[in-house]
């Protein structure tokens, strides 16, 4: 976590003094979400991140260096991620880091969550921090990241089972179980070769644990620096009666994912007395019957995908202006200019873009998005 008491290396202290004279390279978006008893910050730095970029972002947190960074996500090429990992380490951040390798240089960036007004409890597995537990009035939030299988030589299915077991172990440390999970992310190397297998392992796990409410989820094809078959993250929420309402939000323009055998919800909303937080799963150009649409037409796939996301937001009484965090995935990064042209119709989004494989070979674009509102849901 980032604290005033961190002992920065001498060179890094010099960077602090010259921050105002050094231009930043990454665009900064900072969104806050009010929870009962604490404030969550979602920070997006779009583009390769320098020390000054990160220091500026940390300085804009509600309590500045007294806020606690809960988890950091890095997106970029191997070289870009190595540079950003060094920046995170120099800043004294001890939160778990999830690193996702992009197929294209110059895009990607950094996203991180932070907590203010409360003292999170670190969740330590195998001598490293794997996440944080935040205990508010009558609620428990658990944020996990940087999760990796221990043996990269094991079969991909066994690595996936181990990762689910690690999530379960971390949740137990926090007094939660998998039934409290509201959001998952799985970044799978060579996803097109084994997406069905990883889906089967997930379904088997959910059936064994009698999971009835499926979490929102993202499954994307990307390598990680550790060389394991996959890496993952999860968010779980547990509350006393009446403290938090968790409900699935349907996608008006699509069928449920379970209709074609995928065990996740299109979107989940987590509401308390202060705000509503909407997690929209990784969403792509899929028609109501479950088939891919607009094969070979990236512009049409982007438009349909965004129409689907807009409809989900509308179902929850939200708009793109309520977005707190988003990631756009492109099978072919040369399509990013098409996305940028489409974005002229949208408010500025706290978003990073990267080159990754989507879970079907005919899908060219996918986006995930979180949004938050203080307004009551539609009647």
């Amino acid at each position: 976590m980032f604290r005033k008491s961190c002992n920065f290396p001498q060179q890094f202290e010099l960077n602090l003094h010259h921050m105002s004279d050094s231009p930043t390279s990454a665009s900064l978006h900072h969104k806050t979400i009010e929870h009962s008893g604490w404030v969550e910050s979602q920070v997006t730095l779009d583009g390769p991140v320098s020390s000054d970029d990160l220091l500026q972002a940390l300085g804009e947190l509600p309590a500045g260096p007294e806020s606690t960074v809960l988890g950091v996500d890095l997106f970029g090429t191997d070289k870009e991620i190595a540079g950003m990992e060094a920046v995170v380490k120099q800043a004294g951040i001890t939160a778990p880091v999830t690193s996702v390798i992009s197929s294209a240089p110059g895009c990607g960036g950094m996203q991180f969550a932070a907590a203010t007004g409360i003292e999170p409890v670190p969740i330590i597995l195998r001598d490293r921090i794997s996440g944080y537990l935040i205990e508010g009035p009558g609620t428990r939030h658990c944020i996990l990241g940087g999760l990796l299988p221990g043996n990269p030589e094991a079969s991909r299915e066994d690595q996936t089972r181990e990762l689910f077991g690690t999530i379960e172990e971390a949740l137990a440390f926090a007094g939660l179980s998998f039934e409290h999970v509201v959001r998952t992310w799985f970044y799978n190397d060579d996803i097109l070769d084994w997406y069905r297998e990883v889906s089967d392992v997930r379904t088997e796990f959910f059936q064994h644990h009698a999971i009835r409410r499926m979490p929102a989820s993202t499954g994307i094809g990307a390598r990680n620096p550790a060389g394991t078959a996959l890496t993952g993250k999860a968010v779980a929420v547990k509350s006393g009666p009446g403290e938090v309402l968790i409900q699935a939000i349907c996608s008006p323009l699509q069928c449920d994912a379970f209709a074609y055998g995928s065990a996740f919800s299109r979107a989940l909303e987590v509401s308390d007395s202060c705000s509503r937080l909407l997690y929209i799963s990784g969403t792509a150009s899929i028609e109501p019957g479950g088939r891919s649409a607009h094969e070979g037409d990236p512009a049409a796939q982007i438009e349909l995908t965004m129409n689907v996301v807009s409809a989900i937001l509308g179902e929850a009484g939200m708009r793109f202006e309520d977005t707190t965090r988003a990631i756009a995935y492109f099978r072919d990064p040369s399509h990013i200019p098409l996305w940028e042209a489409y974005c002229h119709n949208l408010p500025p989004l706290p978003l990073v873009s990267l080159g990754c494989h989507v879970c079907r070979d005919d899908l060219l674009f996918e986006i995930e998005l979180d949004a938050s509102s203080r307004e009551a849901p539609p009647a």
Side-chain angles (χ1 to χ4, degrees), residues 19-366:
M19 214 177 87
S20 60
D21 299 324
S22 176
T24 58
S25 57
S27 60
L28 170 63
H29 299 267
H30 176 209
K31 302 286 186 174
T32 57
I33 303 164
E34 296 281 346
H35 295 285
S36 181
W38 63 289
V39 176
E40 177 180 358
S41 293
Q42 291 283 354
V43 178
T44 295
L45 289 157
D46 179 14
V49 178
S50 69
S51 300
D52 286 351
D53 292 324
L54 181 54
L55 284 171
Q56 178 183 342
L58 292 167
E60 292 193 7
L61 296 175
E66 292 305 317
S67 297
T68 302
V69 176
L70 303 170
V72 181
D73 302 330
L74 305 179
F75 306 97
T77 62
D78 294 88
K79 183 177 180 180
E80 289 166 347
I81 284 177
M84 288 188 286
E85 285 177 341
V87 166
V88 170
K89 185 176 181 180
Q90 282 179 313
I93 295 173
T94 58
V97 175
T98 306
S99 296
V100 179
I101 297 173
S102 172
S103 62
C107 53
M110 178 187 298
Q111 294 182 327
F112 65 86
T116 302
I118 203 164
E119 188 69 31
V121 178
I123 297 172
I124 300 174
L125 294 179
R126 299 166 192 87
D127 298 322
R128 62 182 293 269
I129 296 176
S130 296
Y132 283 92
L133 168 65
I134 302 104
E135 292 197 78
T139 64
R140 288 186 172 193
H141 286 71
C142 182
I143 298 176
L144 305 173
L147 304 176
L148 294 162
N151 180 13
E153 302 303 319
S155 71
R156 293 181 293 197
E157 292 88 345
D158 283 346
Q159 289 187 55
T160 305
R161 292 186 184 95
E162 182 184 348
L163 188 61
F164 273 98
T166 299
I167 295 173
E168 192 173 29
E169 183 181 354
L171 292 171
F173 179 95
L176 288 80
S177 65
F178 213 98
E179 67 178 310
H180 301 116
V181 173
V182 296
R183 186 66 167 94
T184 57
W185 293 261
F186 299 104
Y187 293 98
N188 305 276
D189 191 12
D190 291 326
I191 193 170
L192 294 176
D193 288 345
W194 66 297
Y195 183 65
R196 176 48 53 195
E197 287 84 348
V198 73
S199 293
D200 288 345
V201 170
R202 176 174 61 182
T203 299
E204 171 191 291
F205 180 90
F206 285 179
Q207 289 175 343
H208 177 73
H209 290 77
I211 304 300
R212 294 183 296 276
R213 185 194 66 221
M214 306 296 173
S217 191
T218 294
I220 280 289
R223 294 186 296 116
N224 64 78
T228 56
L230 75 169
T231 184
K233 299 168 44 188
V235 176
V237 180
K238 180 181 180 181
S239 76
E243 296 289 342
V244 174
L245 173 65
I246 302 172
Q247 59 181 339
I249 302 296
C250 73
S251 175
L253 302 184
Q254 293 178 329
C255 62
D256 286 338
F258 347 110
Y260 51 84
S262 287
F264 69 93
S265 295
R266 295 290 185 195
L268 275 187
E269 181 183 299
V270 181
S271 306
D272 60 23
S273 59
C274 298
S275 64
R276 297 184 295 122
L277 176 58
L278 180 67
Y279 294 106
I280 297 181
S281 295
T283 301
S285 177
I286 296 175
E287 63 181 17
R291 291 196 204 127
S292 302
H294 303 301
E295 183 176 353
D297 188 340
Q301 288 200 14
I302 289 170
E303 182 174 6
L304 174 57
T305 301
M306 296 308 290
N307 287 341
V308 169
V309 171
S310 179
I312 295 173
L313 285 166
E315 193 74 7
M318 298 189 197
R319 304 170 298 165
F320 282 110
E321 286 83 354
D322 298 313
T323 302
T324 60
R325 187 199 65 87
I327 305 174
Y329 304 98
F330 298 85
R331 178 173 178 178
D332 183 347
S334 70
H335 297 155
I336 291 178
L338 294 173
W339 162 251
E340 292 172 342
Y342 181 88
C343 285
H344 288 214
N345 303 317
L346 299 175
L349 297 178
L351 175 141
V352 296
S353 303
L354 62 155
C356 289
H357 272 97
V358 184
C359 64
R360 299 183 189 180
D361 59 7
D362 53 2
L363 292 176
L364 306 173
F365 172 76
E366 180 169 320

